[in-house]
Amino acid sequence: MLHERWALSGSVALRPEPFGALAYDFTSRRLSFLKSPRLVRVVESLRESQDVAAALTGAGVPEEQWPQYESALRQLADRGMLTSRGSQS
């Protein structure tokens, strides 16, 4: 996933909260909690980033924390909150 391109799904809206954000999918009506402001920054920067690794770097996520963030992003992708933009060549 680190070298893949992802973006917030077009049917998903983020609502900022003190703990991070609520992500609501208007198509599936699913609600997800993004439990850290830094994770919100990563998710918001995915569309403009070269890949997930670049989004993590840009948000200032220490490399030793990348596995936890990758796991959170995979869960969001599995729930349809994120959509693939293809792999980076």
Side-chain angles (χ1 to χ4, degrees):
M1 176 175 232
L2 289 175
H3 301 291
E4 296 173 351
R5 300 170 58 176
W6 290 85
L8 192 64
S9 176
S11 63
V12 175
L14 295 181
R15 186 177 89 187
E17 294 289 343
F19 57 81
L22 294 174
Y24 182 74
D25 187 328
F26 287 91
T27 301
S28 69
R29 298 181 181 240
R30 285 186 169 176
L31 182 65
S32 292
F33 294 86
L34 281 66
K35 296 181 181 176
S36 85
R38 188 172 278 170
L39 178 58
V40 175
R41 285 194 299 275
V42 170
V43 169
E44 289 176 332
S45 69
L46 286 172
R47 183 169 300 282
E48 291 79 28
S49 295
Q50 176 178 328
D51 57 17
V52 170
L56 293 169
T57 300
V61 178
E63 226 173 301
E64 62 269 9
Q65 293 179 9
W66 285 17
Q68 293 94 336
Y69 279 80
E70 185 177 8
S71 175
L73 294 171
R74 282 191 190 283
Q75 289 177 12
L76 290 170
D78 289 346
R79 292 182 182 133
M81 298 285 180
L82 300 179
T83 186
S84 175
R85 297 187 302 127
S87 296
Q88 189 65 11
S89 302

